[in-house]
Amino acid sequence: YRDPKPLRTALAKNPDDVEARAGLAAHFLTIGSTANALLQASKALDRAPRHPVASYVAGMALLARKRHDEARTHFDAMLAEGHDGYAVRRALHDIALTNQDAKVAEEQLVAAIKLNPQKALPHSSLAHLLDRQGRKDEAEAHDERWAMRSGNNPRPAEHLAILAIEREDVEASLRW
């Protein structure tokens, strides 16, 4: 979606081309033009209400504009249609945090981990969420999974050491 010229050409030939319209919407989203992204995604969704790219772009554009409830309807519709993925779960997590719903935020991160258990970021995010809730043992378990998945990156080990020090667990802080 870097070069919008082929998309604009396709739309000039056929304004009802949903794929080109959704692609142009994605292009606008990637360059930060959320108003144009939302406009193009809406036009694509008018023609194909279940189009996953258009739904995703509309949801992300609405999220960027802080229209969380509207964004959530797009992501929920994607899930209902079987279009699940890390980015959708992460967006729903962010909306839940904005709404101060830690339970739903946790559910979304757990779902993201199930989709890709090897990805370190949802483990790290879940660890931070659990830690803020005072669920230190669960947080540490996810931090350890994050550290293992992050390979030679020293930051996870530093983070684990800091968490251990905060818990006044000298033995664990020395391990990291």
Side-chain angles (χ1 to χ4, degrees):
Y1 302 118
R2 292 177 190 239
D3 181 10
K5 188 175 180 181
L7 300 169
R8 291 180 196 270
T9 301
L11 288 170
K13 290 179 185 176
N14 178 9
D16 295 333
D17 184 337
V18 174
E19 294 302 320
R21 185 80 55 199
L24 189 58
H27 164 74
F28 282 126
L29 185 66
T30 61
I31 64 169
S33 180
T34 57
N36 286 325
L38 188 55
L39 174 67
Q40 295 302 323
S42 295
K43 286 181 179 182
L45 291 169
D46 286 344
R47 294 277 179 213
R50 297 179 182 173
H51 194 278
V53 173
S55 290
Y56 178 75
V57 170
M60 292 305 289
L62 289 163
L63 189 59
R65 294 168 140 305
K66 309 233 183 288
R67 293 165 55 186
H68 300 115
D69 291 337
E70 293 171 84
R72 186 177 54 238
T73 62
H74 285 281
F75 298 126
D76 287 342
M78 289 179 70
L79 292 177
E81 291 292 322
H83 301 290
D84 201 351
Y86 175 77
V88 173
R89 295 299 182 158
R90 187 64 193 211
L92 288 167
H93 161 264
D94 293 347
I95 292 167
L97 283 182
T98 300
N99 293 335
Q100 298 181 345
D101 190 339
K103 181 181 180 209
V104 171
E106 180 179 343
E107 289 169 358
Q108 296 304 328
L109 289 173
V110 168
I113 289 168
K114 286 180 183 175
L115 288 167
N116 187 351
Q118 299 305 315
K119 194 171 185 86
L121 186 58
H123 286 286
S124 169
S125 298
L126 184 55
H128 289 289
L129 181 65
L130 295 171
D131 190 54
R132 285 192 306 258
Q133 294 175 353
R135 296 161 60 188
K136 304 291 185 190
D137 291 340
E138 292 173 82
E140 185 175 328
H142 280 283
D143 265 330
E144 288 175 2
R145 291 183 195 121
W146 177 43
M148 291 185 315
R149 284 164 178 75
S150 297
N152 294 326
N153 182 352
R155 295 186 71 213
E158 291 170 11
H159 178 71
L160 288 171
I162 290 167
L163 280 178
I165 290 167
E166 287 174 354
R167 287 192 308 272
E168 298 180 6
D169 185 346
V170 176
E171 185 177 316
S173 69
L174 295 174
R175 183 176 37 180
W176 301 106

